[in-house]
Amino acid sequence: MSKHHRFAVVTGASSGIGAVYAERMAERGYDLILIARRRDRLEDIAKRIEVKTSRTVEIVTADLADANDLLRIEALLTKREDIDVLINNAGLGALGPTSKVTADALENLIKLNILALTRLTHAVLPGFLRRNSGRIVNIASIIAVMPTPSGASYSGSKAYVLNFTRSLQMELSKTNIIAQAVLPGPVRTEFFEASGLSEAPFPDQLFMSAEELVDAALQALDQRDLICFPSLEDASFWMAFEDSRTALSRALTKSGRPATRYSGGTR
Ligand SMILES: NC(=O)c1ccc[n+]([C@@H]2O[C@H](COP(=O)([O-])OP(=O)(O)OC[C@H]3O[C@@H](n4cnc5c(N)ncnc54)[C@H](OP(=O)(O)O)[C@@H]3O)[C@@H](O)[C@H]2O)c1
C-alpha cells in the first residue's frame, strides 16, 4: 500500500486509534490530512509525525457533527485529486441507558458516527471511481454484532457502519477500490471517558492497545481481509455468522406472502 505524494485522510486523528492510524500511514509513505476538533492535539501529533517520517501533514480542525464544518470537509475531499485513503475513525459512544442520555447527545452520535462517515465516503467516491483506486477504512465496533443495553444508539450506529461498508464492498466489487470495516473490541483510548463513563464496562484483559489494533487492521487490509475483527482468534465464528445470514437471506426472499404464523395458519 506504499505510494509517494498521495494523501491519507484520518478523521478523529487527535487521539487514540486515529492518532496511531495517522502515524502508521505516514510510515507507509502517505502524506496526511488530519481532522478533529482539538487543534493543539493535532499540532503535536503532526509535528511528531513530520519529524519521524518527513511526510507532509496538514491539519484541519472541524466538528464533524456540525453541518457547516462537515460541508467544508466534504468540499475539501471532493476537490482534492491526491487523496488515496479515507479513514473514517472519528466516533463517540454516548453510553448509558437510552432514557438517561440526552436527546442532543444521541443526535450528536448519529451525526458523527453515521452522517459524517457517510457523507465523507460519498465525497471521496467520485474521485476514487475516476482514478479506479482508493481505500476507505470505516471503524465500526464488535458492538455492531453485539447489541448491548447502555449502548443502543452506539450499537445501532456501528451496525450501520458494518452494513454500509458491506454494501459498498458489493457496489465496488468490479473496481480497484477497497472498503474495509474494522470492528475493534475494547481499546485503551480516551473513548470511554469521552463517552461519559467513569470506567470501562469491560474487564482489563479484553483491552488491546491502539497500536496493536491498528497494526492488526492494516495487516488485514494488506491481506484483503475486509471485515476485520482484530481480536477474533477463530475466524470460523464470523463465517458461521455469514452462512447463517446467507441462509436467512434465502429464506426471506422465498415468498412475499405473510408467514403462516401471522396469517391464521394459512398461507
Ligand atoms: N476505544 C474503544 O474501545 C473502541 C472500540 C470499538 C470501536 N471504537 C471506535 O474507534 C474510533 C476511535 O475511537 P478511540 O477509541 O480512538 O477514541 P478517542 O481517543 O476518544 O478518539 C475519538 C476521536 O474522534 C474525534 N472526535 C470526536 N468527536 C468529534 C467531532 N464531533 N468532530 C470531529 N472529530 C471528533 C476526537 O477528536 P476531538 O475530540 O479532538 O474532536 C478523537 O480524535 C471511534 O469510532 C470508536 O467508536 C473504539
Side-chain angles (χ1 to χ4, degrees):
M1 214 169 76
S2 143
K3 276 190 184 176
H4 292 282
H5 308 298
R6 306 297 299 172
F7 279 79
V9 177
V10 184
T11 71
S14 61
S15 63
I17 295 167
V20 177
Y21 261 113
E23 187 166 337
R24 294 296 189 263
M25 297 312 286
E27 287 165 354
R28 285 174 170 233
Y30 287 93
D31 295 323
L32 301 174
I33 300 173
L34 305 184
I35 300 168
R37 292 167 301 179
R38 290 171 293 180
R39 171 166 288 278
D40 54 340
R41 292 281 204 106
L42 287 176
E43 280 173 351
D44 287 350
I45 288 165
K47 236 176 266 159
R48 188 164 45 77
I49 292 176
E50 278 169 344
V51 168
K52 195 171 171 195
T53 67
S54 304
R55 304 314 310 178
T56 299
V57 185
E58 299 176 17
I59 61 176
V60 186
T61 50
D63 178 350
L64 294 173
D66 175 85
N68 290 328
D69 277 12
L70 182 56
L71 280 177
R72 176 165 55 83
I73 301 300
E74 278 177 65
L76 172 78
L77 301 196
T78 304
K79 83 164 190 263
R80 296 276 297 244
E81 287 290 332
D82 52 3
I83 293 171
D84 259 8
V85 182
L86 170 64
I87 298 173
N88 275 312
N89 163 76
L92 56 82
L95 303 174
T98 304
S99 63
K100 299 266 189 298
V101 181
T102 66
D104 286 349
L106 297 178
E107 182 175 326
N108 200 46
L109 175 147
I110 290 165
K111 284 179 175 164
L112 182 64
N113 294 13
I114 297 180
L115 191 61
L117 175 138
T118 306
R119 293 194 68 120
L120 296 186
T121 300
H122 187 262
V124 297
L125 272 176
F128 283 10
L129 286 166
R130 252 193 326 276
R131 297 189 291 279
N132 192 24
S133 79
R135 305 269 181 281
I136 299 163
V137 176
N138 289 332
I139 306 300
S141 161
I142 55 169
I143 298 302
V145 292
M146 285 174 54
T148 50
S150 291
S153 302
Y154 184 64
S155 171
S157 73
K158 294 303 187 179
Y160 173 90
V161 174
L162 176 60
N163 268 9
F164 175 69
T165 311
R166 291 188 59 84
S167 295
L168 261 187
Q169 290 168 350
M170 294 170 197
E171 290 178 16
L172 298 171
S173 65
K174 295 202 163 51
T175 73
N176 291 327
I177 304 160
I178 286 175
Q180 182 195 41
V182 178
L183 297 93
V187 183
R188 269 177 231 100
T189 66
E190 297 165 24
F191 174 80
F192 291 103
E193 207 183 315
S195 299
L197 295 191
S198 54
E199 67 181 60
F202 295 103
D204 210 42
Q205 73 270 17
L206 283 189
F207 278 77
M208 67 171 71
S209 70
E211 287 78 6
E212 287 173 313
L213 182 270
V214 172
D215 288 338
L218 284 173
Q219 187 173 330
L221 186 62
D222 292 341
Q223 293 166 197
R224 298 286 189 275
D225 191 350
L226 299 185
I227 304 292
C228 168
F229 289 91
S231 60
L232 181 65
E233 182 57 34
D234 183 350
S236 71
F237 282 105
W238 170 247
M239 287 167 208
F241 187 94
E242 280 294 84
D243 289 346
S244 168
R245 193 186 56 77
T246 305
L248 177 63
S249 304
R250 284 205 197 98
L252 286 171
T253 50
K254 269 201 167 135
S255 158
R257 308 272 318 129
T260 310
R261 68 187 179 288
Y262 301 134
S263 55
T266 58
R267 189 162 193 185

